[in-house]
Amino acid sequence: MTKALIYALFVLLPSLAGAADSALLSMVMPDAKVLSGVQVDSARNSAFGRFVLSHMQLDDDNFKRSLSDAGFDPRRDLTEILMASNWSDANSRWLLLARGSFNIPKFTTAFATAGGTTATFLGVNIFSGKPADSVVAFLDAGVAAMGDLDSVKGAIQRYQQHGSKPGSALIARVASLSAAHDFWFITLVPVTEFAGAVPDPNLSQAMQGGMLQGITEASGGVKFGDVVQFSVQALTRTEKDAASLLEVVHFLSGLLKMNREKDVAASQIGSLIDSLEAKARGNVVTLTLAVTEAQLDQIMNTAKQENKPPAAKQ
């Protein structure tokens, strides 16, 4: 899997939501630097959550075809997803762990029909597509693991060591984060390192700019509902970096508000910024934003209209 897809999964993936599943967390690689999760059940009950789920895509056509042939719909058959990566230039590994309902015999038939191969590791079947860039394994009818071969094998080993404690330094910080959000993320990777994985060149360049260079860690999430709540916390190198970042956030939000009269989209985005709260404490910057689903629905409809191809001339 490319870093671009890892980035996309972390960005697109998402009463208090239940904390992250401990069994899934126990399968995470010990050297994980980035974690993200989504409570699919909660997302399904929200219009914006359903929008997020509809944009969850894998880049492996063989696996997508096999999932479809098995009658599997992730938006219906999953309850929780956890994504992990060690994000290393030398040996980048990734895992997508899921809890849900899996008809293993149907999956087995579908993978075989698609020309995939099957290998066994510690009594668990591992299915590979063509090419075998990624593999998938069903540890039981309710738990699945997908990723590169070494990471999936490691997940199987950790899953079978019942009661083993996950070794990642991130795990201890996941409990409160995942309990407060339906979608959440946490990264020990400096934000600028994600720039190379962003497909949009303008956004990629912006992420390498001075505003984000001082961010060494970040975490946050989204809580779905009639009012959608966004939150981000950024750890910077110094208090000066935090103050500079806060100044830029205030400048950009002010600029958006000033331009709200220029067009519908600018007006809608400007109205969202009205509820933005940004503050710095020491070298930590916290951003929170509360937006109604009706507002988000208006913005998404406007974007759809603007992206529509012009009607053909008669």
Side-chain angles (χ1 to χ4, degrees):
M1 174 180 276
T2 64
K3 278 192 172 182
L5 180 56
I6 296 176
Y7 168 83
L9 284 168
F10 280 110
V11 170
L12 297 177
L13 289 181
S15 99
L16 295 178
D21 188 292
S22 59
L24 297 185
L25 286 173
S26 71
M27 298 164 67
V28 170
M29 66 276 287
D31 59 342
K33 293 181 182 177
V34 188
L35 283 174
S36 179
V38 60
Q39 296 285 348
V40 182
D41 279 345
S42 299
R44 276 196 294 261
N45 295 327
S46 158
F48 182 64
R50 290 191 293 272
F51 170 80
V52 172
L53 292 177
S54 71
H55 284 73
M56 293 171 58
Q57 297 290 337
L58 296 172
D59 64 351
D60 191 313
D61 290 335
N62 287 299
F63 275 127
K64 285 194 290 188
R65 185 167 56 252
S66 297
L67 293 176
S68 177
D69 291 345
F72 180 78
D73 184 344
R75 293 164 296 182
R76 179 196 64 212
D77 298 325
L78 292 179
T79 57
E80 183 174 355
I81 301 170
L82 181 67
M83 180 74 187
S85 173
N86 69 333
W87 198 270
S88 168
D89 289 333
N91 182 28
S92 190
R93 290 175 287 106
W94 67 281
L95 267 173
L96 193 156
L97 305 168
R99 183 170 290 282
S101 178
F102 307 105
N103 189 320
I104 298 177
K106 278 191 175 182
F107 276 110
T108 302
T109 301
F111 278 116
T113 302
T117 59
T118 305
T120 302
F121 178 73
L122 298 180
V124 177
N125 287 334
I126 298 178
F127 302 94
S128 303
K130 290 183 179 181
D133 294 330
S134 52
V135 301
V136 65
F138 301 98
L139 290 84
D140 58 41
V143 176
M146 183 176 183
D148 60 88
L149 180 60
D150 288 341
S151 293
V152 170
K153 284 184 174 180
I156 293 171
Q157 287 179 312
R158 290 185 286 274
Y159 183 80
Q160 293 187 354
Q161 295 169 355
H162 299 292
S164 63
K165 294 183 179 180
S168 170
L170 295 181
I171 299 298
R173 297 162 62 180
V174 166
S176 59
L177 188 64
S178 62
H181 301 91
D182 298 316
F183 163 77
W184 57 270
F185 74 93
I186 183 168
T187 172
L188 301 181
V189 177
V191 173
T192 51
E193 288 194 23
F194 289 95
V198 180
D200 186 319
N202 293 324
L203 181 56
S204 176
Q205 185 175 2
M207 290 180 66
Q208 298 178 60
M211 179 181 73
L212 300 181
Q213 285 182 348
I215 301 176
T216 58
E217 300 179 16
S219 63
V222 180
K223 183 179 177 183
F224 301 120
D226 292 337
V227 176
V228 183
Q229 300 175 10
F230 300 84
S231 66
V232 176
Q233 189 175 79
L235 178 69
T236 63
R237 295 171 301 195
T238 64
E239 291 187 16
K240 184 177 180 181
D241 285 330
S244 297
L245 177 60
L246 190 61
E247 288 178 2
V248 172
V249 170
H250 286 312
F251 171 77
L252 292 177
S253 62
L255 197 61
L256 287 170
K257 291 178 182 179
M258 288 175 57
N259 291 321
R260 67 171 64 190
E261 302 301 328
K262 291 187 176 181
D263 55 55
V264 175
S267 175
Q268 291 174 341
I269 294 175
S271 67
L272 300 188
I273 301 300
D274 289 337
S275 65
L276 175 66
E277 293 186 9
K279 57 184 179 181
R281 183 174 182 180
N283 65 331
V284 178
V285 174
T286 302
L287 308 175
T288 57
L289 180 67
V291 185
T292 67
E293 280 208 318
Q295 287 177 293
L296 289 172
D297 189 53
Q298 285 182 337
I299 291 174
M300 288 185 288
N301 286 333
T302 300
K304 287 178 183 178
Q305 292 298 323
E306 291 182 347
N307 292 327
K308 272 186 177 181
K313 294 182 178 180
Q314 298 296 327

